[in-house]
Amino acid sequence: MTMNVIFRADASLEIGLGHVMRCLTLADELTRMGAECQFICQEVDGHMLSAIEAKGFVAKALPGADQDIMSWQEDCERTWRLVSKDSADWLVVDHYALDHKWERELRRQGMKLMAIDDLANRPHFCDLLLDQNLGREVGAYAALVPDECTILTGPRYALLRPQFAEQRAQSLERREHGAIEQLLVSMGGVDQPNATGAVLMALKDSDLPPECHIKVVMGLASPWLDNVREIAATLPWSVDICVDVQDMAALMVQSDLAIGAGGGTSWERCCMGLPTLIVVIADNQQEGALALVEAGAVFQAGSVSSENFDLDLKTFISKLAFDVDAVRQLSAASAAICDGKGVSRVAQMLHGGMDQ
């Protein structure tokens, strides 16, 4: 019998694309294993309903799409109206605004429920919980979930697209030379605070080698795309603006250093052993960034809102531009954190009903 999985996750200009993107990665893997997957998303500015459908999944919009804020009760009721039309084996929820109250109401309908979280600061009523953050221990959720809940923690379970594991060996081989010839700048698909622009402005007087080539990754929905193009044109290095990149792993293979935001892309960079200056662009990225710093896997260039951001970024660029050993050490430490096979591990848990 075919397994049916329904995902409840949102994307918007405010919250970004990350929740939906990692759910799509899991849905792709489950589909490869023979499951049928569909999505329920609120239709707000920056939603990804069309992108989800373009990947071959059914995407259902929650009614009341004119509301940016919906109570959990409304969300639960409207979600159930859509879910009840299908026989679902699993409901996967990846949403900071939904917790145990919402989950309890949906789970009592007979489905198993998986919660994806990053915060460990609220109760869940689920069968399976995933928190892929570095340093997160199972004990952090012991008092927040039912006793029978299975808890998966750490980058071993990071939901990365297969392209990263497939190109990992090639990427690690590149790290041997340590020189910075290609710089990758990636601040998320939306980048609401325009961290990309702030990074490029800070680079203007940095010690990047003259022959360095810069690639900037942005989403088509980013409100700052034109502004970033204008700033890029003023830099003394060759700069490419790459929009809606489909093979991020290939770009990472070609890069020697990344300046990137925290969040899910951190595990992609770790899988590829890509030395990184991490930039915090949201409060919920701070804990994960600090864990990576403590592991020796990144240098932290602070927050774009910090008064010292320009100076901090230039200082780290100067160090890495002339210290090949430091670049290699960052690469080795980051590569040890994540092997890129997490999505397969999580999908196997769902597909096997967690009886494996």
Side-chain angles (χ1 to χ4, degrees), residues 16-201:
L17 312 181
H19 298 280
V20 169
M21 290 300 295
R22 63 187 177 187
C23 285
L24 277 170
T25 297
L26 180 55
D28 281 337
E29 182 67 13
L30 288 168
T31 300
R32 188 190 66 78
M33 297 169 66
E36 291 185 0
C37 301
Q38 56 183 285
F39 285 72
I40 296 175
C41 308
Q42 193 176 0
E43 194 174 11
V44 294
D45 288 344
H47 68 79
M48 292 183 63
L49 288 161
S50 296
I52 293 169
E53 290 175 338
K55 289 183 66 68
F57 298 111
V58 173
K60 298 179 179 179
L62 284 179
D66 58 325
Q67 301 181 55
D68 289 342
I69 300 176
M70 187 185 301
S71 70
W72 75 264
Q73 294 95 334
E74 291 175 306
D75 195 300
C76 182
E77 179 182 348
R78 293 169 179 176
T79 297
W80 174 241
R81 288 177 192 169
L82 298 177
V83 170
S84 62
K85 298 176 183 178
D86 302 281
S87 176
D89 299 288
W90 280 95
L91 176 61
V92 179
V93 56
D94 187 347
H95 206 298
Y96 291 158
L98 304 175
D99 60 11
H100 69 105
K101 299 184 291 293
W102 185 96
E103 294 160 357
R104 185 181 298 272
E105 291 300 316
L106 272 299
R107 189 171 178 248
R108 70 173 56 183
Q109 306 301 331
M111 299 169 288
K112 288 189 172 75
L113 193 143
M114 174 184 176
I116 302 176
D117 195 7
D118 305 293
L119 307 175
N121 65 352
R122 60 207 167 112
H124 289 280
F125 195 75
C126 56
D127 300 277
L128 177 64
L129 183 137
L130 167 64
D131 184 330
Q132 58 190 22
N133 281 317
L134 178 64
R136 185 74 76 211
E137 300 290 342
V138 170
Y141 286 97
L144 300 177
V145 298
D147 291 341
E148 66 273 16
C149 177
T150 299
I151 304 170
L152 307 177
T153 60
R156 171 177 169 77
Y157 299 102
L159 299 177
L160 304 189
R161 287 164 287 172
Q163 60 183 245
F164 292 97
E166 291 166 0
Q167 299 183 58
R168 172 175 162 89
Q170 182 183 359
S171 184
L172 296 183
E173 184 178 352
R174 180 185 178 95
R175 308 301 155 214
E176 294 300 318
H177 77 306
I180 300 177
E181 299 170 355
Q182 301 280 341
L183 172 66
L184 181 66
V185 178
S186 176
M187 294 294 150
V190 174
D191 186 16
Q192 188 67 39
N194 196 16
T196 307
V199 167
L200 294 183
M201 290 295 292

Side-chain angles (χ1 to χ4, degrees), residues 160-318:
L160 304 189
R161 287 164 287 172
Q163 60 183 245
F164 292 97
E166 291 166 0
Q167 299 183 58
R168 172 175 162 89
Q170 182 183 359
S171 184
L172 296 183
E173 184 178 352
R174 180 185 178 95
R175 308 301 155 214
E176 294 300 318
H177 77 306
I180 300 177
E181 299 170 355
Q182 301 280 341
L183 172 66
L184 181 66
V185 178
S186 176
M187 294 294 150
V190 174
D191 186 16
Q192 188 67 39
N194 196 16
T196 307
V199 167
L200 294 183
M201 290 295 292
L203 286 175
K204 276 193 172 184
D205 300 320
S206 72
D207 289 329
L208 276 180
E211 66 277 8
C212 185
H213 183 80
I214 303 173
K215 289 190 177 180
V216 178
V217 175
M218 301 191 74
L220 190 60
S222 174
W224 300 104
L225 188 53
D226 289 340
N227 175 260
V228 167
R229 285 182 171 133
E230 292 173 1
I231 297 173
T234 69
L235 297 183
W237 303 279
S238 172
V239 182
D240 287 337
I241 308 297
C242 308
V243 180
D244 279 359
V245 171
Q246 298 302 307
D247 193 351
M248 190 68 172
L251 276 186
M252 291 186 179
V253 169
Q254 299 161 10
S255 302
D256 303 303
L257 176 69
I259 302 176
T265 308
S266 294
W267 317 127
E268 297 173 354
R269 294 187 297 256
C270 284
C271 177
M272 308 305 277
L274 180 58
T276 298
L277 300 180
I278 196 168
V279 179
V280 173
I281 65 173
D283 290 343
N284 60 23
Q285 295 178 357
Q286 185 64 53
E287 184 178 2
L290 288 175
L292 286 165
V293 171
E294 291 174 358
V298 301
F299 287 160
Q300 184 173 349
S303 167
V304 290
S305 61
S306 168
E307 293 182 3
N308 298 322
F309 176 70
D310 285 18
L311 179 59
D312 290 343
L313 187 64
K314 291 172 185 176
T315 299
F316 285 127
I317 288 288
S318 295

